[in-house]
């Protein structure tokens, strides 16, 4: 599997969370370079990557793997933003805000994400050109 994802940054997200899935769709829309791959935290690939990068599976966060480093909470979101097209990429400037402030906001949203958009066990059926961005396993 490592060869399949070599050279790509990876977003690991909660596959049961509608809010999280909507954010993944947002990233896909704004990442015109298509240099990010995606896997749900619950998938075999997600579980493998959590173990590989020694990230606690109990964390309430999406995970962004880039340059062999796992980023969590607000840092993950801002590093993802850096890969997105203008004007979204400008939000990376918020990296200057101390992490304890950014992460407090992130954790509040994460704690309330099911209230915001609900939960679902259903998979989204993506068109072929989007489906190839997901790590299947």
């Amino acid at each position: 599997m490592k060869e399949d994802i070599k050279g790509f940054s990876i977003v690991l997200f909660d596959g049961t969370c509608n809010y999280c899935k909507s954010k993944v769709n947002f990233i896909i829309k704004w990442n015109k370079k298509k240099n990010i791959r995606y896997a749900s935290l619950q998938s075999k690939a997600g579980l493998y990557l959590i173990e590989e990068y020694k990230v606690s599976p109990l964390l309430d966060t999406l995970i962004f793997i880039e340059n062999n480093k796992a980023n969590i909470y607000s840092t993950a979101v801002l590093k993802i933003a850096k890969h997105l097209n203008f004007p979204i990429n400008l939000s990376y400037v918020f990296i200057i805000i101390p992490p304890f402030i950014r992460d407090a906001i992130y954790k509040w949203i994460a704690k309330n994400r099911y209230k915001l958009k609900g939960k679902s066990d259903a998979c989204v059926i993506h068109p072929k050109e989007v489906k190839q961005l997901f790590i299947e396993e």
Side-chain angles (χ1 to χ4, degrees):
M1 176 171 70
K2 241 183 173 175
E3 290 304 312
D4 298 343
I5 56 177
K6 195 174 183 178
F8 292 103
S9 298
I10 303 165
V11 173
L12 299 176
F13 63 97
D14 181 351
T16 65
C17 171
N18 290 333
Y19 180 81
C20 303
K21 289 188 257 189
S22 72
K23 295 304 155 205
V24 166
N25 287 331
F26 178 86
I27 296 166
I28 290 169
K29 177 182 175 184
W30 287 93
N31 179 236
K32 301 297 183 196
K33 292 179 186 173
K34 305 289 185 236
N35 61 347
I36 298 175
R37 295 295 177 260
Y38 309 87
S40 75
L41 291 164
Q42 297 84 358
S43 69
K44 286 181 185 176
L47 294 171
Y48 167 80
L49 290 165
I50 287 169
E51 187 175 313
E52 178 78 11
Y53 287 92
K54 298 179 183 12
V55 179
S56 169
L58 304 176
L59 288 177
D60 203 9
T61 182
L62 67 78
I63 301 165
F64 184 58
I65 300 169
E66 178 182 45
N67 299 325
N68 288 317
K69 183 175 187 242
N71 300 282
I72 57 174
Y73 300 125
S74 63
T75 301
V77 172
L78 293 173
K79 288 195 176 216
I80 290 168
K82 215 169 45 165
H83 287 269
L84 305 183
N85 288 35
F86 181 84
I88 308 302
N89 60 353
L90 297 177
S91 62
Y92 183 71
V93 72
F94 293 112
I95 200 81
I96 64 169
I97 296 172
F100 74 92
I101 295 171
R102 291 186 277 119
D103 288 348
I105 295 165
Y106 181 97
K107 289 174 182 179
W108 182 85
I109 293 169
K111 183 176 151 190
N112 293 289
R113 69 187 188 275
Y114 295 131
K115 291 177 191 169
L116 293 169
K117 287 217 175 193
K119 199 172 180 180
S120 167
D121 289 332
C123 294
V124 176
I125 307 299
H126 293 286
K128 186 178 179 182
E129 64 274 6
V130 173
K131 190 174 180 160
Q132 69 188 12
L133 300 174
F134 286 81
I135 304 167
E136 299 289 331
E137 235 183 279

